[in-house]
Amino acid sequence: MTIQEFPMARAAGCPFDPPPALHELQREAPLTRVRLANGTTPWLVTRYAEQRALLSDPRISADVRHPGFPAGASVDRHRVSIGFVLMDDPEHSRLRRTVTAPFAVKRVEAMRPLVQSIVDGLIDEMLDGPRPVDLVQAFALPVPSLVICELLGVPYTDHDFFQDNSKHLVNRNASPAERREAFQIFNAYLDDLIGAKTAAPTDDLLSQLAARIEAGELARAEAAGIATLLLIAGHETTANMIALGTLALLENPDQLTLLRETDDPKLIAGAVNELLRYLNIPHGGRRRVALADIEIAGELIRAGEGIIMANDIGNRDPSVFTDPDTLDLTRDARGHLAFGFGAHQCLGQPLARMELQVVYGTLYRRIPSLRLATSIDRIPFKHDGSVYGVYELPVTW
Amino acid sequence: MKIQLDQEKCVVSGQCLLAAPEVFDQRDEDGIAFLLTESPGADTVAEVRHAAAVCPVLAITLED
Ligand code: HEM
Ligand code: SF4
């Protein structure tokens, strides 16, 4: 049997569905070998149960420096040194636990009025401005950017700098060097700000990190790395869910109507989970390397071999979700894997969910005639990035 | 039913609290989950099972 190349291409005209080749591989077996651009042949896990089992197995490692790690174009090696996302326990847990408090469900809930006012303010500006407008620049990117500013404690006077620099991080035309520079500018900026908060603490996450440095629990570079990780991890992901989610709803008008006509928080929360499941924007797969031999589903993954969990196809596993290729906002999609699974499962998920609840619960009610200002075949999709989405979404009303 | 929660494993995903808020809560200082009751009432059994199923680090175990 020939080994297929990974990642695979989506089918033309099906921008919301995983590549057809993934569907076929999933039908054939829970896991199989694939070939990466660098010639290596890691395991690709396509079924839901095996993805969950492996992601919660302590015998796998997220350490990108391991020789067997299945790095691809979508693994940004310059991010290696930041935060804890590419570390294993106990180091991972030690660092992650320094910033878990503000992500507790009730703490996040307390930020809802603030997020609502950010969302309302941006919609006011859109309604007062010219049409058509690019929803990505006018709305989808500023929402998470302003929210993370509040969470970290970025002074109001720096918000413009913050948003401008964020745009370089996600700009399609930026070279890898330019993106790296934008990233380093943030890292240096956050490092300085942590210094300032050490001298004059305020009530925010950066001040808490500063206090931990003072207490000898964190090195300054570790603290700046964690702050940068929070910024990067929550930015493009949330923005893409807003823009791509809106496009998916515009293409499924009956589902959009459900959202436009409800103020039931349960329905809206369910809709957010279903859109996360259906779109599964981190489409490069969760990447790991086996630290020991692991027997699973009749196969033997040997110590040192790479493993890629393709959660986009896992979320379309028909043994878990009936009629999985249909967007159905009323289904129970809570078990989806769009935030990953295991010790690295998204730390920002309560915040991301709340932001998306506010956005999906507000945007289409306040602009009921929102529609595409172009045809869908002209929308540029992020096929290349590690996070799927749209570069632009021209809309009008 | 009796519930056990391994706080060493907890990664503060918040999933248990979302699934069964009458049974799970999170500590103020670090968001680590804790139990409000070890023996939930019959009316919350389904929610608790769901919480155990979605916990990303399998920190919640149930005994019948
Ligand atoms: C809808 C938006 C989001 C999606 C789809 C998403 C998805 C993910 C996924 C799949 C992972 C797991 C990475 C892995 O296992 O290798 C992850 C990790 C992470 N996310 Fe998110 N995320 C989102 C929003 C956010 C937000 C808003 C924040 C914070 C403000 C955030 C912070 C993090 C952090 C810190 C990690 C690393 C956790 C660890 O390694 O322990 N994310 N995210
Ligand atoms: S679901 Fe598991 S990891 Fe998440 S908060 Fe509860 S116990 Fe912790």
Side-chain angles (χ1 to χ4, degrees):
Chain A
M1 200 181 89
T2 56
I3 299 182
Q4 298 202 37
E5 309 272 327
F6 184 87
M8 291 122 180
R10 291 176 197 256
C14 303
F16 308 119
D17 290 331
L22 284 181
H23 277 283
E24 277 157 40
L25 289 179
Q26 184 185 64
R27 263 194 298 275
E28 282 161 20
L31 64 163
T32 184
R33 283 189 189 274
V34 287
R35 190 181 314 279
L36 300 185
N38 63 12
T40 56
T41 52
W43 292 95
L44 182 79
V45 187
T46 51
R47 287 194 197 157
Y48 181 92
E50 284 75 14
Q51 290 180 355
R52 271 179 49 121
L54 284 166
L55 282 169
S56 56
D57 191 318
R59 293 170 297 176
I60 64 164
S61 164
D63 189 344
V64 72
R65 294 166 307 180
H66 193 291
F69 191 92
S74 69
V75 176
D76 254 337
R77 283 185 181 268
H78 74 266
R79 292 185 191 171
V80 170
S81 59
I82 63 145
F84 40 80
V85 65
L86 299 171
M87 286 180 180
D88 293 331
D89 288 342
E91 202 55 7
H92 161 262
S93 168
R94 176 181 77 85
L95 294 177
R96 177 164 167 141
R97 284 189 174 197
T98 62
V99 281
T100 43
F103 294 100
V105 172
K106 286 175 187 163
R107 288 277 297 276
V108 167
E109 229 11 78
M111 288 181 74
R112 188 182 286 266
L114 184 110
V115 173
Q116 183 71 54
S117 72
I118 288 173
V119 166
D120 279 326
L122 289 164
I123 295 176
D124 289 341
E125 278 175 38
M126 278 205 306
L127 288 171
D128 288 344
R131 279 174 284 176
V133 65
D134 175 14
L135 192 80
V136 174
Q137 297 293 336
F139 186 71
L141 277 170
V143 170
S145 181
L146 292 170
V147 171
I148 199 77
C149 280
E150 291 289 343
L151 186 83
L152 292 174
V154 171
Y156 190 73
T157 45
D158 291 345
H159 281 195
D160 284 344
F161 148 77
F162 212 80
Q163 285 201 50
D164 284 345
N165 200 46
S166 313
K167 285 179 185 161
H168 296 300
L169 279 177
V170 297
N171 181 352
R172 175 165 42 144
N173 301 317
S175 68
E178 283 169 321
R179 286 185 206 202
R180 198 153 41 239
E181 196 192 322
F183 169 84
Q184 275 155 1
I185 289 174
F186 266 135
N187 197 243
Y189 170 81
L190 289 167
D191 187 79
D192 280 351
L193 198 53
I194 289 172
K197 303 264 180 187
T198 312
T202 36
D203 182 17
D204 49 50
L205 201 150
L206 290 181
S207 301
Q208 286 149 23
L209 285 174
R212 289 192 190 262
I213 300 172
E214 294 282 278
E217 293 167 25
L218 272 182
R220 170 108 169 226
E222 283 177 332
I226 291 172
T228 313
L229 169 64
L230 291 178
L231 166 74
I232 309 258
H235 204 88
E236 197 181 354
T237 44
T238 311
N240 287 0
M241 275 307 296
I242 294 173
L244 189 67
T246 298
L247 181 59
L249 289 165
L250 290 171
E251 293 294 304
N252 289 273
D254 53 325
Q255 299 297 303
L256 180 56
T257 305
L258 279 180
L259 266 181
R260 203 190 279 128
E261 290 177 357
T262 189
D263 51 12
D264 173 7
K266 269 216 161 112
L267 200 156
I268 296 170
V272 168
N273 278 327
E274 170 65 352
L275 280 157
L276 284 161
R277 177 196 76 84
Y278 182 72
L279 298 171
N280 196 93
I281 52 167
H283 66 166
R286 314 269 46 84
R287 300 186 179 217
R288 302 292 191 266
V289 53
L291 296 176
D293 289 358
I294 301 173
E295 272 182 64
I296 184 155
E299 299 280 3
L300 177 65
I301 301 174
R302 291 200 180 276
E305 288 182 340
I307 316 172
I308 302 175
M309 267 64 60
N311 294 150
D312 49 353
I313 197 67
N315 277 339
R316 302 290 184 100
D317 189 329
S319 67
V320 183
F321 302 101
T322 12
D323 203 1
D325 298 323
T326 302
L327 177 69
D328 173 3
L329 301 185
T330 61
R331 81 162 83 224
D332 181 357
R334 288 177 299 173
H336 71 74
L337 301 172
F339 289 124
F341 200 72
H344 290 275
Q345 193 183 55
C346 183
L347 174 62
Q349 59 181 296
L351 181 62
R353 280 203 190 88
M354 186 269 280
E355 286 181 62
L356 293 174
Q357 286 164 11
V358 173
V359 165
Y360 297 148
T362 308
L363 182 61
Y364 320 119
R365 283 168 70 93
R366 287 205 50 199
I367 316 184
S369 61
L370 188 78
R371 61 181 190 277
L372 270 190
T374 179
S375 59
I376 186 162
D377 48 284
R378 297 194 157 199
I379 304 282
F381 288 91
K382 297 183 177 181
H383 290 291
D384 41 353
S386 64
V387 185
Y388 190 57
V390 292
Y391 286 106
E392 265 169 44
L393 194 68
V395 292
T396 191
W397 51 89
Chain B
M1 182 166 70
K2 219 170 152 349
I3 318 175
Q4 274 183 346
L5 173 62
D6 185 345
Q7 293 184 318
E8 279 300 303
K9 285 188 182 165
C10 175
V11 293
V12 194
S13 72
Q15 300 256 37
C16 53
L17 174 63
L18 287 177
E22 311 83 5
V23 178
F24 300 92
D25 204 344
Q26 289 176 296
R27 301 199 296 228
D28 288 339
E29 65 271 27
D30 53 11
I32 302 288
F34 65 90
L35 291 171
L36 295 167
T37 165
E38 282 179 13
S39 326
D43 49 334
T44 53
V45 166
E47 280 126 18
V48 172
R49 282 194 201 288
H50 182 79
V54 290
C55 174
V57 286
L58 316 179
I60 302 164
T61 41
L62 308 176
E63 274 169 50
D64 278 310

